[in-house]
Amino acid sequence: MRIGFLGAGKMAEAIFAGLIRNQIVPAADIRIREVVPQRVRDLRRRYHVGVAGTATELVTGCDVVFLAVKPQDLDVLLQEVAPALTTRQVVISIAAGKTLTQLQKLAGPRVRLVRVMPNLAMMVGEGMSAFCLGRHARPADRKLAARLLGCCGRAMELPERHFHAVTALSGSGPAFFAYALAGLADAAVAEGLPADAARLLAEQTMLGAARYLLETGMTPQALMQAVASPKGTTAAGLAVLEASPMRQILGQTIQAAAQRSAELGRVAPKPA
Ligand SMILES: NC(=O)c1ccc[n+]([C@@H]2O[C@H](COP(=O)([O-])OP(=O)(O)OC[C@H]3O[C@@H](n4cnc5c(N)ncnc54)[C@H](OP(=O)(O)O)[C@@H]3O)[C@@H](O)[C@H]2O)c1
């Protein structure tokens, strides 16, 4: 199986590094097409991936094609490669906000499409990707998408109508968790903790809490109860959170991000 990447930036690298690391495909079966020459040299040296001279050449020689350029570069690129796309390839777009309808229109009426909303943590193998299938994708494409995306984190299929909420929660989410982490660490610094110690304590605690929930299947509520002994330190902190408008603020945060995602989706793409 030959896998191609149109655009070999941060996200493309995260995905193909995961594919190579997990031995899903050998590096020799990965092709990139990237416009920044220094980047091409660097990636070829570090990963020994193949390099296509043109986007059309890449598409012609691959079974799976990742669209990994910025959303504003996607329309022109997809129009360029559309004549070379057949029902042979699966086309996987990771471009934020580009809908299946928009992609299908540009790629061609019968092209097998998968739309993905990935996140930044893919770069450290802990990404969260949601994906949905286009109307011509085959059942095997579902398994393939889950396997390829799963090599740099977790992947789940969701109907496209949920993608604004997904964008808000897991797409923008790393920034919201970082905000909470910075606030908690700064408060500990105010208690006299050195800044570098506070940062490590906060980061590892966030990682540990998430991993604990994932691995035990425990609910967040049960975890809170398990940590908080009556009249103890955790109970004292949780009481402040419960008495505050924190839940409402978190709700507004997700709502604003999801709403913005919907607004951006309504902006008509610039003519090519
Ligand atoms: N980064 C994230 O956290 C994140 C999260 C969710 C979704 N995404 C999506 O992932 C996609 C890739 O993001 P990224 O952060 O990896 O972007 P990136 O680092 O900017 O990578 C894109 C690369 O593609 C190159 N490029 C532009 N036009 C091209 C063309 N016609 N042919 C070949 N290469 C071309 C760009 O070159 P130039 O720099 O010269 O333009 C750049 O090197 C985006 O669509 C984004 O919406 C990213």
Side-chain angles (χ1 to χ4, degrees), residues 89-147:
Q89 299 101 343
V90 188
V91 177
I92 304 181
S93 167
I94 62 165
K98 288 284 175 189
T99 64
L100 284 170
T101 303
Q102 291 167 335
L103 293 166
Q104 196 83 62
K105 211 167 159 187
L106 291 161
R110 284 187 301 279
V111 172
R112 291 151 63 196
L113 285 172
V114 179
R115 176 187 172 189
V116 183
M117 183 63 212
N119 77 7
L120 180 81
M122 273 192 143
M123 291 176 212
V124 292
E126 289 293 350
M128 183 68 237
S129 300
F131 69 89
C132 57
L133 302 184
R135 62 178 182 275
H136 297 290
R138 299 171 185 168
D141 298 339
R142 167 177 293 123
K143 273 196 187 156
L144 181 71
R147 185 154 160 257

Side-chain angles (χ1 to χ4, degrees), residues 254-271:
I254 293 297
Q255 208 179 6
Q259 209 172 318
R260 185 69 188 134
S261 169
E263 280 165 17
L264 290 173
R266 280 195 292 271
V267 175
K270 274 189 253 162

Side-chain angles (χ1 to χ4, degrees), residues 223-259:
L223 183 146
M224 287 187 256
Q225 274 169 15
V227 182
S229 51
K231 297 193 178 154
T233 58
T234 311
L238 284 174
V240 174
L241 284 172
E242 284 300 333
S244 75
M246 184 56 90
R247 262 177 203 280
Q248 200 187 334
I249 291 168
L250 292 174
Q252 287 168 357
T253 303
I254 293 297
Q255 208 179 6
Q259 209 172 318

